[in-house]
Amino acid sequence: MTLFDEFVTDNLVKAKVKPITLSSPQLEKIKERIDSGIPGSILIAGTAGDGKTYHCRGLWTHLGGAEKDWTAKTTVKHLKLADGRQATFVKDLSELNDEESDAALTVMERSMNGDDAQSFVVIAANHGQILERLRDLGKRQGRVHPLRKPIQDAFLQHGASPAGLAIFDISRTTRRDSLSEVLKAVAGHQEWENCKQCSLRADGRVCPIYENRSRVLSELDNGLFSKRLGDIVEVSRLNGWHLPVRDLLALASNMILGHGDAKLAKEGLMACSDVAKIQEKGAIEEASLYGNVFGSNLPLRRAMSRPVFRALASFGVGTETTNAADGLMVYGADDPKLTDAFNRLLGSDVVYGATQGYLASLQRYLEGDEAARIDNGAQEFLDRLQAQRRRLFFTIPDTEKEYDHWLMTAFRFAGDYLEMIDLLAEGKGVSESTRVRLVRGLNRVMTGLLIENNDKLFVASSGGFTQSRISVLCDTEVAARRSGGVGMRIKLDPLTERAALDVALAAGENHSASFTLSPVRFEFLCRVAEGALPGSFSNECLEDMLAFKAKLLRKAELLRADRLDEDEEPGLDDGALTLNFIEMEQSGHGFSRPVTVRVGA
């Protein structure tokens, strides 16, 4: 929103602090486009919080526009450039009425068509807003507006901008690097230097704000915290979550300032004036950034109003766990076999790990005193246990194989997915264990049987209904590894940056079908390969897989028809029908057995 941009600008002046600055590669590209002198208009698109107004303002000042003119209460701004061109700026299309919007869009159309090389417009708009305005304008003019389809294609298909119109979709830029930059900009701001001499950190006292700030910077863990958080953000992005920069800034602030007791910190966010009281009450643990990451310090409704907290909540960190991890946290302090690991992974963190409060609560829980026997008497420790699970996710070193941090989430195979993406991006093949799981999962979904095969795929049906979940008729078999243009290969889709399964039943583009593997679809296939029932994990994923199977069955049908036309001729065996039934050995190995059925009188 432009109001948000103006609010930030005004408050920076009042607070007398330097603003948080982030690199803007798209802004540099926009400047280059304008400086090149190429005719045409500029469309800056994105969702709320992506920084559309920021990019628009940056271009305004780059072209010599005055700051006071930009902040003036006018919806449309005009600027005469040094080369004689007239630039019109619309910093938020939603603020315009129909007449103003029509005028701006008309300038855009004329500049795109080359009818007016001396005028162009710079428009900042949400994706839906610009398309809706073009549709309405086209209706009023009694035509289909010529800009609507090319802009829509550029949004949906990541297509190139039409000639004469440069489209910059800044909603595509948020990823791991964006998060890393935001964390460094917020936690590394020069104003933190003022905290070094603060009395709240004197005499060994811990200031939770400064402690969280240090951990956000990963100063003592060689970047492990920022890497784990970056992994979550990357998996979220590949699952279709768009996290605007504004949300990442809110996340960084909440991690540093969050506190779980609203009585000690107003609205769950600490100020410096709250720290002495928090220290006095011994409530530093409730400021743990490992819970703040997921908005645990905020009321549920408020946290879930932000996409970033909804996305992170989908990982189930804190509620998902393993027997090994919980056994360590509950019994590790007393079990000689676990003591070393307990001291290493919990005891070493005296601020948010095995603190005196945690150990006392653990003891009460294990001894089962009177308070623990009443209703919800154990809730205090269970809340602490959930907080420790979250902390462990971010702090367990990769060398601790027994306590794999991804197993403590709803995406237990997310690490394998990220590794697969990295390998494909480098032009390398995926690991054999990943390929085996995908093939086994595919076969089990295709057939509905607990098949163990990992060398070939069975494209199966039930004899007519392609969406049947139990399919024992094998329409065709194909190798699980591409060779000679036939078989399955795992590739990287350059548009979505996700992995994709490409299955070719025969050589040639017309005989293949692709299936995009988002992290949740990858998780689904891996879980099925490990023995989970398809419907018990995700009905949506199952329906997607059955739709992919239907495509392959159609490809197989067309391939059989082509081969019949080319290679076969009717003979004495007319009326005979051969069906390939899928059978299984005791080992789980599946194979197809042909059965000939004679039809007719």
Side-chain angles (χ1 to χ4, degrees):
M1 298 179 182
T2 55
L3 290 177
F4 186 86
D5 185 74
E6 292 167 4
F7 172 81
V8 171
T9 304
D10 292 343
N11 277 272
L12 281 171
V13 176
K14 294 177 183 177
K16 297 180 180 179
V17 298
K18 289 189 176 181
I20 292 172
T21 56
L22 303 172
S23 65
S24 305
Q26 289 285 71
L27 179 56
E28 296 307 314
K29 293 178 181 178
I30 296 171
K31 292 177 181 178
E32 289 175 8
R33 167 73 184 210
I34 291 293
D35 293 344
S36 69
I38 299 175
S41 293
I42 304 288
L43 173 60
I44 303 172
T47 60
D50 278 327
K52 300 184 299 296
T53 307
Y54 170 81
H55 283 73
C56 208
R57 176 162 53 89
L59 182 60
W60 171 269
T61 56
H62 172 72
L63 294 175
E67 187 68 30
K68 62 181 180 63
D69 293 335
W70 180 261
T71 55
K73 304 299 182 182
T74 54
T75 54
V76 179
K77 303 181 186 300
H78 302 282
L79 185 66
K80 189 77 170 180
L81 305 189
D83 60 9
R85 288 182 296 167
Q86 178 72 31
T88 300
F89 280 75
V90 178
K91 60 182 180 180
D92 190 344
L93 186 63
S94 64
E95 292 184 351
L96 272 58
N97 58 37
D98 286 346
E99 182 178 350
E100 293 170 327
S101 173
D102 290 354
L105 294 175
T106 298
V107 173
M108 177 180 283
E109 182 182 0
R110 286 177 57 81
S111 66
M112 188 190 80
N113 293 334
D115 298 334
D116 186 357
Q118 293 303 305
S119 300
F120 67 91
V121 65
V122 179
I123 295 180
N126 289 353
H127 302 92
Q129 288 174 357
I130 182 71
L131 294 176
E132 183 178 358
R133 291 295 182 109
L134 289 170
R135 182 193 62 193
D136 293 343
L137 175 58
K139 285 182 178 180
R140 287 193 293 273
Q141 295 176 338
R143 61 170 181 162
V144 176
H145 200 284
L147 285 177
R148 190 170 188 273
K149 188 177 187 308
I151 291 177
Q152 180 175 281
D153 289 344
F155 290 161
L156 299 181
Q157 301 174 18
H158 297 236
S161 300
L165 175 62
I167 300 175
F168 296 91
D169 189 351
I170 58 178
S171 67
R172 299 178 188 167
T173 60
T174 303
R175 58 191 66 228
R176 183 196 299 273
D177 293 341
S178 303
L179 172 68
S180 178
E181 186 180 11
V182 166
L183 296 183
K184 290 177 181 177
V186 174
H189 194 279
Q190 63 186 40
E191 293 293 329
W192 287 103
E193 292 294 318
N194 297 325
C195 297
K196 290 187 176 180
Q197 305 302 322
C198 179
S199 60
L200 294 171
R201 299 181 60 232
D203 302 323
R205 283 184 289 179
V206 174
C207 170
I209 294 177
Y210 198 84
E211 178 71 21
N212 287 346
R213 175 255 179 185
S214 299
R215 296 193 183 213
V216 164
L217 288 175
S218 287
E219 290 180 336
L220 300 178
D221 64 4
N222 295 318
L224 183 61
F225 174 80
S226 58
K227 179 184 182 301
R228 294 275 167 85
L229 184 57
D231 286 344
I232 293 182
V233 167
E234 194 69 5
V235 172
S236 298
R237 180 182 72 86
L238 293 168
N239 264 332
W241 284 96
H242 172 57
L243 305 180
V245 171
R246 187 186 302 173
D247 267 33
L248 297 183
L249 288 166
L251 174 64
S253 301
N254 194 71
M255 284 193 292
I256 295 173
L257 301 177
H259 193 281
D261 190 340
K263 296 179 181 178
L264 297 176
K266 185 179 179 181
E267 296 185 349
L269 296 172
M270 296 180 288
C272 290
S273 56
D274 300 320
V275 173
K277 183 171 48 178
I278 291 171
Q279 291 173 335
E280 181 183 345
K281 296 286 186 181
I284 292 177
E285 288 177 80
E286 295 183 61
S288 172
L289 83 160
Y290 305 112
N292 297 341
V293 168
F294 304 99
S296 63
N297 60 302
L298 303 173
L300 182 62
R301 179 177 296 180
R302 183 178 172 188
M304 292 302 102
S305 67
R306 282 199 173 274
V308 65
F309 291 123
R310 292 202 303 274
L312 299 185
S314 68
F315 286 80
V317 179
T319 54
E320 297 285 336
T321 189
T322 64
N323 290 336
D326 275 8
L328 175 68
M329 290 182 282
V330 176
Y331 304 111
D334 300 316
D335 188 337
K337 296 180 181 178
L338 299 174
T339 302
D340 287 345
F342 183 87
N343 292 334
R344 189 169 63 250
L345 300 177
L346 280 86
S348 59
D349 188 345
V350 297
V351 180
Y352 297 135
T355 62
Q356 291 300 316
Y358 176 82
L359 294 174
S361 179
L362 170 62
Q363 198 65 25
R364 288 193 298 271
Y365 175 78
L366 292 176
E367 291 179 353
D369 62 12
E370 185 63 29
R373 286 193 289 270
I374 63 176
D375 291 343
N376 296 323
Q379 192 59 46
E380 179 204 0
F381 175 71
L382 295 180
D383 289 342
R384 288 180 179 272
L385 186 64
Q386 186 176 76
Q388 286 304 313
R389 291 171 185 157
R390 287 171 172 159
R391 191 190 68 83
L392 280 179
F393 173 82
F394 289 104
T395 60
I396 294 177
D398 292 329
T399 54
E400 299 282 351
K401 301 300 182 182
E402 188 175 354
Y403 307 106
D404 185 346
H405 62 284
W406 284 117
L407 296 181
M408 302 176 68
T409 73
F411 290 88
R412 300 192 168 202
F413 295 93
D416 294 328
Y417 183 88
L418 292 175
E419 179 187 49
M420 175 178 64
I421 293 295
D422 289 342
L423 289 171
L424 292 174
E426 295 171 4
K428 300 177 182 178
V430 304
S431 68
E432 192 59 27
S433 59
T434 295
R435 180 182 292 275
V436 165
R437 275 200 303 269
L438 289 174
V439 173
R440 187 184 301 140
L442 276 170
N443 273 329
R444 292 184 174 186
V445 173
M446 293 275 195
T447 65
L449 306 174
L450 291 175
I451 288 180
E452 295 288 338
N453 297 63
N454 53 47
D455 59 335
K456 61 183 175 181
L457 291 174
F458 294 100
V459 182
S461 72
S462 61
F465 182 49
T466 59
Q467 297 292 307
S468 175
R469 300 190 181 189
I470 304 295
S471 304
V472 296
L473 292 178
C474 180
D475 278 43
T476 188
E477 299 177 9
V478 63
R481 190 182 297 273
R482 183 69 62 89
S483 178
V486 181
M488 186 189 83
R489 68 166 173 159
I490 304 171
K491 64 179 184 178
L492 191 66
D493 187 328
L495 293 180
T496 64
E497 297 182 351
R498 299 170 177 167
L501 300 177
D502 188 72
V503 179
L505 305 182
E509 294 183 2
N510 295 332
H511 302 304
S512 65
S514 291
F515 182 72
T516 300
L517 276 181
S518 63
V520 70
R521 287 176 172 178
F522 180 83
E523 185 77 20
F524 171 77
L525 286 176
C526 290
R527 292 280 189 101
V528 171
E530 297 294 317
L533 294 174
S536 66
F537 178 74
S538 170
N539 279 321
E540 181 181 356
C541 285
L542 178 58
E543 293 302 322
D544 291 342
M545 285 301 311
L546 293 178
F548 175 58
K549 183 177 83 166
K551 287 183 181 179
L552 289 175
L553 288 171
R554 178 58 178 163
K555 295 287 183 183
E557 181 182 354
L558 294 175
L559 184 61
R560 282 195 304 273
D562 290 344
R563 287 175 175 172
L564 179 63
D565 293 341
E566 295 174 2
D567 302 329
E568 298 184 14
E569 61 180 359
L572 297 176
D573 290 332
D574 281 356
L577 178 65
T578 299
L579 302 175
N580 293 311
F581 284 88
I582 299 174
E583 297 189 359
M584 291 175 56
E585 299 173 347
Q586 288 187 346
S587 62
H589 181 80
F591 62 94
S592 60
R593 182 172 62 88
V595 175
T596 301
V597 179
R598 191 167 297 280
V599 182

